[in-house]
């Protein structure tokens, strides 16, 4: 074992326990991978099911059922600006409820610059009475440590504060899942600011699972994530060589070192499975030793 790997494992078992209760992400097309990865995924692990424009409700519900069959907990995404009407949202939640997968959802704005229907933001969905109607108990919302390419920082903070307060008022358990990044510095600063603003909502820090460097850089550019030469070198790969693969060893070790749950409350990790659910599950199992 290399010194780097040994250090990574030492931090992974550190006092903050960021890897305890980690969560994963999958698409509807990842069901075969999930089935292969199931033996490596601890029972009760949250697995987010994305809301892609190329996948329909039946596929999302099938993915949620597969998560349940794997002994995990499905967290379906609800993309506000992709919902055409209150009727569609009602039908979506009803289908998830029938599958036993509506207790926890992740409500996001979604990619379209213009809403396809009545919901222009995640707050619009949360303010509706449909989550309560379908017995949703936990709602995850998005956080952006490095900002959002289309939303100014003041608005991001205002919305995060408002949604966290709204969930608490409605008696719903809230959770913040952040966009992924390569650099621990803005992530750690952002977590501290969340707590300084009086937001006690549990946080899941988004990290990219192991994947091809070219793929990671492509996703970073798409989502406005900093990926300049110095940052990616710090993370563990080079922009001059896009043919290899990279994992979040260094990033997780740095986060474990600098985030203290005794001061910052509940903070865990959420893995974006850019390299595949099975590959990510194997990597986590190996990293945890």
């Amino acid at each position: 074992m290399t010194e780097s790997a040994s250090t990574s494992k030492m931090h992974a078992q550190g006092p903050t326990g960021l890897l305890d209760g980690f969560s994963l992400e999958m698409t509807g097309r990842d069901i075969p991978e999930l089935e292969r990865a199931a033996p490596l995924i601890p029972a009760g692990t949250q697995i987010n099911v994305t809301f892609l424009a190329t996948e329909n409700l039946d596929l999302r519900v099938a993915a949620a059922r597969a998560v349940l069959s794997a002994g995990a907990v499905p967290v379906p995404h609800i993309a506000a600006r992709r919902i055409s009407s209150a009727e569609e949202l009602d039908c979506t939640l009803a289908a998830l409820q029938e599958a036993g997968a509506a207790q926890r959802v992740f409500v996001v704005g979604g990619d379209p610059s213009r809403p396809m229907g009545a919901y222009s933001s995640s707050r619009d969905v949360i303010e509706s009475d449909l989550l309560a109607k379908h017995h949703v108990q936990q709602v995850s919302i998005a956080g952006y440590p490095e900002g959002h390419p289309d939303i100014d920082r003041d608005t991001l903070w205002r919305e995060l504060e408002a949604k966290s307060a709204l969930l608490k008022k409605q008696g719903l358990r809230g959770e913040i899942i952040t966009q992924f990044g390569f650099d621990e510095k803005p992530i750690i600063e952002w977590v501290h600011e969340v707590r300084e603003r009086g937001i006690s909502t549990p946080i899941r820090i988004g990290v990219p699972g192991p994947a091809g460097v070219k793929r990671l850089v492509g996703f970073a550019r798409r989502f406005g994530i900093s990926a300049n030469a110095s940052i990616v070198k710090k993370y563990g790969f080079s922009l001059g060589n896009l043919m290899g693969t990279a994992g979040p060893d260094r990033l997780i070790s740095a986060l474990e070192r600098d985030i203290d749950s005794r001061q910052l409350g509940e903070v865990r990790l959420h893995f974006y499975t850019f390299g595949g659910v099975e590959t990510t599950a194997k990597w986590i199992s190996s990293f945890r030793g």
Side-chain angles (χ1 to χ4, degrees), residues 155-206:
T155 300
L156 288 174
W157 281 117
R158 186 167 61 250
E159 285 297 306
L160 188 65
E161 290 170 339
K163 285 182 285 191
S164 296
L166 181 59
L167 291 174
K168 188 176 292 186
K169 182 179 179 181
Q170 293 181 352
L172 294 169
R173 174 177 165 81
E175 187 176 75
I176 302 168
I177 301 178
T178 79
Q179 184 57 274
F180 75 95
F182 298 125
D183 185 5
E184 77 276 4
K185 186 174 184 292
I187 296 172
I188 293 168
E189 290 175 349
W190 182 87
V191 171
H192 276 273
E193 185 166 356
V194 169
R195 298 307 187 221
E196 288 166 3
R197 287 173 175 266
I199 303 172
S200 59
T201 308
I203 297 171
R204 289 186 181 273
I205 298 173

Side-chain angles (χ1 to χ4, degrees), residues 83-129:
I83 301 291
S84 62
S85 64
E87 289 74 20
E88 182 184 348
L89 177 58
D90 192 20
C91 289
T92 296
L93 291 169
L96 292 170
Q97 185 179 12
E98 184 179 356
Q103 290 91 346
R104 307 184 192 190
V105 296
F106 181 24
V107 183
V108 294
D111 293 334
S113 57
R114 293 185 178 181
M116 298 173 62
Y119 306 105
S120 61
S121 70
S122 56
R123 184 155 36 138
D124 290 341
V125 173
I126 295 170
E127 288 176 336
S128 76
D129 60 355

Side-chain angles (χ1 to χ4, degrees), residues 15-18 20 173 191-192 194-196 199-205 255 258-269:
T16 60
L18 295 184
D20 294 337
R173 174 177 165 81
V191 171
H192 276 273
V194 169
R195 298 307 187 221
E196 288 166 3
I199 303 172
S200 59
T201 308
I203 297 171
R204 289 186 181 273
I205 298 173
L255 293 171
D258 293 331
I259 290 181
D260 187 342
S261 61
R262 291 166 295 188
Q263 297 178 356
L264 296 170
E266 187 175 328
V267 183
R268 295 175 175 170
L269 296 181

